[in-house]
Amino acid sequence: MFSRENQGVRYQGETSDWIKLNGGVPQGTRIGPLGFVTMVNDVASDTSLTSLKYVDDLTMQDHLDELENWAAVNHMKLNPEKCASMQVSFMKHSPVQQSPKIANVTLQTVEVAKILGVHIRPDLKWDSQIAEMLKKANGRLYLLKLLKRFKLPMDDLITIFSGFVCPLAEYAAPVWHPGLTAKESAALERVQRRACKIILGNQYTQYDEALELCKNIHIVC
């Protein structure tokens, strides 16, 4: 249950006291996503913004004054501490860019921006993204080793690898996979190779044969 300014909770016929919202859309409600879409789509309709929106991340810094005015009209407040500036340029000498501001606060210029779990760099290379994925995926391979010691069946180990490790190494693959270097592809492949060795143990001979035995294992690389 929510309105533009107030929110309450109803459970088993009982309703809580109403509280006044400071901003945003209540999370965890069925109508919440609809309220969010209504507000975020209004950004472009009320201003001359030409940027593209993906979920709640506005990644272009043009027309910040208009965006700030829109937020004020809609009883919201932008938080400059959660905003950053990044200039993407492939020129030999990038043009000097004036640091953008929100609420008279100069935004921090960053070399890596994490947007919806994807690490974006000014040169649009993916070494930061791959390094982070490898760190997490290799960390979870340790769990696979522990379970192997407890004689868990191979099918169960494959299921665990597919459900807990693969998603870390495949997240947002359509975005970064086409731009991978041969070295980065090989690094991702090594995660899969290590998993095969752990799962098969003494049965492991060659990588190609291991993939055939573990048909359900697959990492995008």
Side-chain angles (χ1 to χ4, degrees):
M1 301 173 59
F2 79 92
S3 65
R4 185 181 180 88
E5 296 182 349
N6 299 303
Q7 175 181 349
V9 177
R10 179 180 295 160
Y11 179 70
Q12 295 184 351
E14 299 294 330
T15 303
S16 68
D17 295 334
W18 290 91
I19 62 172
K20 186 174 182 179
L21 297 178
N22 294 322
V25 175
Q27 297 185 10
T29 62
R30 293 182 179 180
I31 200 172
L34 178 61
F36 171 80
V37 170
T38 301
M39 288 196 299
V40 78
N41 284 346
D42 193 47
V43 175
S45 63
D46 279 3
T47 70
S48 60
L49 291 171
T50 57
S51 57
L52 299 177
K53 300 189 297 299
Y54 182 68
V55 191
D56 61 340
D57 290 287
L58 193 61
T59 54
M60 297 182 67
Q61 300 300 315
D62 296 336
H63 310 297
L64 280 180
D65 288 340
E66 288 188 61
L67 180 60
E68 192 171 355
N69 289 336
W70 174 89
V73 170
N74 286 273
H75 308 287
M76 296 192 299
K77 186 177 180 180
L78 302 180
N79 186 353
E81 294 182 0
K82 292 188 176 181
C83 300
S85 173
M86 174 186 288
Q87 181 179 5
V88 178
S89 174
F90 299 102
M91 299 174 62
K92 185 175 181 180
H93 300 289
S94 299
V96 178
Q97 180 183 6
Q98 185 177 4
S99 299
K101 296 182 179 181
I102 290 180
N104 292 322
V105 177
T106 301
L107 300 185
Q108 177 187 8
T109 300
V110 297
E111 293 299 321
V112 179
K114 186 176 181 181
I115 302 178
L116 298 176
V118 178
H119 294 75
I120 308 295
R121 292 172 51 91
D123 54 10
L124 299 186
K125 294 182 179 180
W126 299 107
D127 47 332
S128 299
Q129 175 68 16
I130 300 303
E132 183 66 18
M133 292 193 306
L134 290 175
K135 178 181 177 181
K136 293 180 178 179
N138 284 321
R140 291 197 179 180
L141 286 182
Y142 178 71
L143 172 63
L144 209 62
K145 286 184 178 181
L146 292 178
L147 295 174
K148 177 69 174 180
R149 295 174 186 172
F150 284 97
K151 310 297 183 180
L152 207 66
M154 186 177 74
D155 288 345
D156 290 343
L157 292 175
I158 291 174
T159 299
I160 291 170
F161 176 76
S162 300
F164 289 92
V165 183
C166 284
L168 296 176
E170 296 177 344
Y171 176 74
V175 175
W176 49 260
H177 187 261
L180 291 187
T181 64
K183 182 178 180 180
E184 290 165 345
S185 293
L188 282 176
E189 189 77 23
R190 281 195 293 273
V191 174
Q192 183 169 268
R193 189 185 298 269
R194 286 185 60 198
C196 287
K197 290 181 177 180
I198 294 171
I199 292 171
L200 295 177
N202 294 332
Q203 292 180 268
Y204 183 92
T205 54
Q206 295 181 350
Y207 183 47
D208 291 341
E209 294 179 2
L211 290 177
E212 184 64 25
L213 289 172
C214 305
K215 291 181 179 179
N216 292 330
I217 292 182
H218 178 67
I219 289 182
V220 178
C221 54

